Amino acid sequence: NGSSASVTMFVSPQPVEATDDAFWDQFWADTATSVQDVFALVPAAEIRAVREESPSNLATLCYKAVEKLVQGAESGCHTEKERQIVLNCCRLLTRILPYIFEDPDWRGFFWSTVPGAGRGGGDEDDENARPLAESLLLAVADLLFCPDFTVQSHRRSTVDTAEDIHSIDSCEYIWEAGVGFAHSPQPNYIHDLNRTELLKLLLTCFSEAMYLPPSSDSSNANPWVQFFCSTENRHALPLFTSLLNVVCAYDPVGYGIPYNHLLFSDYREPLVEEAAQVLIVTLDYDSSTSSSPTVDGTTTGTAMDDVDPPGPDNLFVNYLSRIHREEDFQFILKGVARLLSNPLVQTYLPNSAKKIQFHQELLVLFWKLCDFNKKFLFFVLKSSDVLDILVPILYFLNDARADQSRVGLMHIGVFILLLLSGERNFGVRLNKPYSVRVPMDIPVFTGTHADLLIIVFHKIITSGHQRLQPLFDCLLTIVVNVSPYLKSLSMVAANKLLHLLEAFSTTWFLFSAVQNHHLVFFLLEVFNNIIQYQFDGNSNLVYAVIRKRNVFHQLANLPTDSQSIQKGLQRRKKTPEPISRTNSQDGVSMEGSRPAAPAEPGTLKTSLVATPGIDKLTEKSQVSEDGTMRSLEPESSQPPPEGNLPAAVSDGESWSGEASHPRRDQRRLSSASSSGQWTPTPDWVMSWKSKLPLQTIMRLLQVLVPQVEKICIDKGLTDESEILKFLQHGTLVGLLPVPHPILIRKYQANSGTAMWFRTYMWGVIYLRNVDPPIWYDTDVKLFEIQRV
C-alpha cells in the first residue's frame, strides 16, 4: 500500500521538497481506504517520530494536505478521483492534528502563514497570506456544500456546465427541512458519508481545546471555533441550520417497522451524531461574561432597538438566540424530545427499535437552547410538552445513579431541571397526572409528574453513590422551587420527603459537616410552601407530617451543648451509611425495570471540574402577588456566613475560582468531616438552629394533632382513610402565621458552570469517538482519563 511505504521514508530526517509531487501524492492517491485504514497505517509512534525528527516533513505534509482540500473546494470535486483525494486528505489530517495539538511547540503552526498561500489570487502577495488554519476551515465549509459530493446538484443534466462552487447560494442547499428551510432533500447515503468525514475533521480541528488545562478565564476562546463561526465563513448560516435540522429531524425508529434497523444500515445516524457534536462545540460560549444582549434579544440597559442588537460575534450562538417562530420551536422541541425518549421506548419485541447513544450531546444542546434563547425556554414551559423532556431526564438520572462513570450525565440532568424550576410554569406543569409507565427501578405509585420527580430524587439521594453528594443541594433546591405550585402529592411521595427529613436531621448528620444543615432548611421550606399555599389538596403530606411529628419536635429541641454534640458525632461510627436505606417503605419496583447498576470495572471515564456551590449557581427571586418575580439584591460582598460552602470538590480537584478565600479553604477541609479540621461548636449550632423555620409546622401540629387523636379515640380508629377524609375537609384559614413570600432560586450563568460544561462536553466527545479513536492515547490536558 502506497501510504505505508511513504510513511517510513517520510520519517527519514532528510527533508522532502514540497515540489516533489510524486512523493506527496502517494499519501492521498490510494483509492480503497477508509478512515479506519488511515488510523491503522499511520501509527501514533510514527507521527510523533516525524514530529521530533523531521519536523519539516510533517509541516510540508500538513501544508500539502490542506492545499489539496483547497484545490478540491476550488474545483468543485467533479471527478471521482478528486473526491477520493479530498476524503483521503481529510482522513490524514484527522489522524495527524491531535499530535500537533499535544505539542505546545507545534500548536501555533496552523496559525502561521505559509509562503505563497495568498488571500488574493496573486501568489506573490504574501502580506495577504492566510494562516493555514483559516484556509483549512474555509475549504471544509465550501466542501460541505459541494454539489454531487455533499449536496444534491440542482442542475438538470450532466451536459450542463457544473455549478460553480463560488456562485452557488448555499442557503438553497441546506441539508434537511426544519428551521428556516421547508424542502427536504432526497436522502443520499454517499452524501451523508462524505459530510460525516468532513465534520469529523472539523471536530478534530476544534479539539485543540482538549489540550489546554481547564481555566476559569473565559477569555481564551477557541481560535478554530471563533474563526469558523465568524462572518469570514460565508456558509455559517446554512451550516448552522443544516446541523440543527439534521439532528432535530432524525427519527431512529426506522419508520415504525420493527427490526427495520437490522435490515438497513442507517447512514443517517453517524451523521446525526457528528452534527450534534460539532453543534455543541460551536456553541461553547460563556454567556455570563458577554456584554452582548441578554439573549432574549433585548439589550442590557436600553429598550429594544428597532434594529436587532449586534449579538455575540459567534454567529452560531447569535443565530441560535434569534430563532423565534413558534413552528421552529415546535420542530426543535419535538425532535429533541423524540430522541431523548428513544432509549425509553420499550417495545414488546426486545431490540426491535434502534437505540441511540448520543443522549448526552442532546442534553447539552437542549441546555444551550434554553440558556441562550429565553423565548425557547418560555415556549418549552408553555404547554405540557416540557414533560416529554422531564421524563427522559428522570429516567437517565435514575438509571445512572449507581454508576460512577456517569456522574457528568447526573450533573447535566440536574442542571437542566434547576434551570426549568426557576420558572413558575414548570411547577404548574408537574401537576399533570403521570400515566406513561416507563419501566423504572422505583416504587409503583399513582400520582402526578411531581410525585415521579420526588420519588426519583429520593432514590438518587438514598441509593446513589458517594460522588453525588454535591448534587443534594441542587436536587432539594429544585423541589423547593416547585413546591408552592404542587396541588396534591401522593402518599408515596409525601413519605419520601419525610424520610429525607428524618435522615438529614439525625444529630450525627447535622454535626458532621459544616453545610449539612442546609438540607434540613430546604426541606422545611418545601413543607412550609405546601402548607401555606397548597394546603387544600395535600392531605397526604399533612398526614405524613402528623405521623412523623417527633422529627419536628426533635429538631426544635436539638441539643446545643458540647457534650451532646460529641455524643451525636459518636453515633456516626455505629451507622456509617450516610442515610438509612431501611424504613423508607420502598414498595415493589415497577414491572420490567432493571436495578440501577454500577459501572463495569475498567470502564473509562473523564474527570470533571467541580461545580460552583448552590449560592453561586443561583440567585434568589421573590414572587409577588401577581406572579411576577423580582430579583433580590445579593447581600453586600461580605464573606459568606459559615457554611455557604462551594459544593464538595469532585475527584479531589479544587476549583481554581475558590482558592483566594482562606476561610473557604478551611471550610472545604471541614466538609470532609472525618478530617478533624473543623469541629462543631455550641455557638455554631445555635447560629442556625435559631433560624429553623418551624413556626408554621408547629402551629399546624398544635391545631390538628389533638383533633386527629380525638377522632382515633372516639371512633377507635386505626384506619388512615378516615383520618385522611377528615384532613381533606379541614382548614387552617386564619390559624397559620402570615404566609411568607415565595422565594425562588433561579439558575444564573457563571464562568464556573461554563467551564464545567466545556470539560464535560469534551469528555463525552473523547469517549464517544472510538471508531476511529481520534484522541485516544494523546496527551489531553482538559481532563484526566480514569478507569472505574
Side-chain angles (χ1 to χ4, degrees), residues 210-280:
M210 282 196 217
Y211 297 90
L212 302 169
S215 83
S216 53
D217 172 20
S218 52
S219 59
N220 52 8
N222 182 331
W224 295 84
V225 171
Q226 217 171 359
F227 179 80
F228 191 77
C229 299
S230 73
T231 47
E232 294 270 352
N233 177 1
R234 71 188 181 98
H235 303 293
L237 179 61
L239 188 59
F240 167 76
T241 314
S242 294
L243 295 172
L244 184 61
N245 291 353
V246 155
V247 172
C248 295
Y250 178 56
D251 183 359
V253 174
Y255 315 103
I257 306 161
Y259 299 106
N260 201 20
H261 66 288
L262 301 179
L263 307 178
F264 301 99
S265 187
D266 179 354
Y267 295 100
R268 244 311 129 102
E269 189 181 25
L271 173 65
V272 175
E273 289 205 5
E274 213 68 54
Q277 292 179 0
V278 168
L279 200 50
I280 60 178

Side-chain angles (χ1 to χ4, degrees), residues 296-329:
D296 55 1
T298 48
T299 32
T300 24
T302 60
M304 180 77 181
D305 303 300
D306 293 340
V307 205
D308 269 343
D313 294 335
N314 176 325
L315 290 179
F316 280 37
V317 174
N318 199 340
Y319 297 142
L320 185 78
S321 68
R322 291 183 185 211
I323 298 172
H324 61 275
R325 292 184 1 208
E326 293 259 316
E327 56 269 42
D328 290 342
F329 287 157

Side-chain angles (χ1 to χ4, degrees), residues 123 148 151 191 262 374 393 523 630 639 648 683 689 698 749:
D123 278 345
D148 290 327
V151 291
H191 294 174
L262 301 179
K374 288 296 168 261
I393 289 178
L523 285 164
R630 60 184 186 83
D683 287 351
K689 178 189 167 181
M698 288 312 191

Side-chain angles (χ1 to χ4, degrees), residues 63-271:
Y63 163 61
K64 297 293 279 187
V66 172
E67 185 183 52
K68 285 290 174 201
L69 290 180
V70 171
Q71 284 167 4
E74 294 284 318
S75 73
C77 283
H78 295 301
T79 67
E80 194 46 51
K81 184 172 183 235
E82 282 176 291
R83 290 174 200 158
Q84 209 48 60
I85 288 174
V86 162
L87 289 172
N88 283 339
C89 290
C90 219
R91 294 158 185 160
L92 197 62
L93 286 166
T94 302
R95 179 59 170 145
I96 290 171
L97 275 167
Y99 297 91
I100 287 189
F101 295 151
E102 75 175 355
D103 184 335
D105 297 338
W106 274 84
R107 219 166 278 146
F109 168 71
F110 268 83
W111 294 97
S112 56
T113 49
V114 175
R119 282 173 198 239
D123 278 345
E124 302 319 302
D125 191 3
D126 280 350
E127 285 304 292
N128 218 0
R130 268 198 187 284
L132 202 52
E134 295 186 6
S135 305
L136 170 56
L137 290 171
L138 293 177
V140 170
D142 276 340
L143 287 164
L144 285 167
F145 292 98
C146 183
D148 290 327
F149 179 51
T150 49
V151 291
Q152 215 66 54
S153 169
H154 290 187
R155 297 278 168 189
R156 290 288 162 267
S157 76
T158 41
V159 188
D160 216 346
T161 49
E163 286 150 295
D164 175 14
I165 197 151
H166 294 286
S167 63
I168 72 170
D169 172 7
S170 45
C171 284
E172 295 173 11
Y173 290 86
I174 288 171
W175 301 349
E176 186 54 77
V179 176
F181 194 66
H183 166 67
S184 186
Q186 197 56 40
N188 180 317
Y189 82 95
I190 301 283
H191 294 174
D192 278 359
L193 293 173
N194 295 341
R195 291 164 177 173
T196 305
E197 298 229 34
L198 286 159
L199 291 179
K200 213 180 271 303
L201 172 57
L202 202 50
L203 195 59
T204 309
C205 292
F206 296 159
S207 72
E208 184 179 358
M210 282 196 217
Y211 297 90
L212 302 169
S215 83
S216 53
D217 172 20
S218 52
S219 59
N220 52 8
N222 182 331
W224 295 84
V225 171
Q226 217 171 359
F227 179 80
F228 191 77
C229 299
S230 73
T231 47
E232 294 270 352
N233 177 1
R234 71 188 181 98
H235 303 293
L237 179 61
L239 188 59
F240 167 76
T241 314
S242 294
L243 295 172
L244 184 61
N245 291 353
V246 155
V247 172
C248 295
Y250 178 56
D251 183 359
V253 174
Y255 315 103
I257 306 161
Y259 299 106
N260 201 20
H261 66 288
L262 301 179
L263 307 178
F264 301 99
S265 187
D266 179 354
Y267 295 100
R268 244 311 129 102
E269 189 181 25
L271 173 65

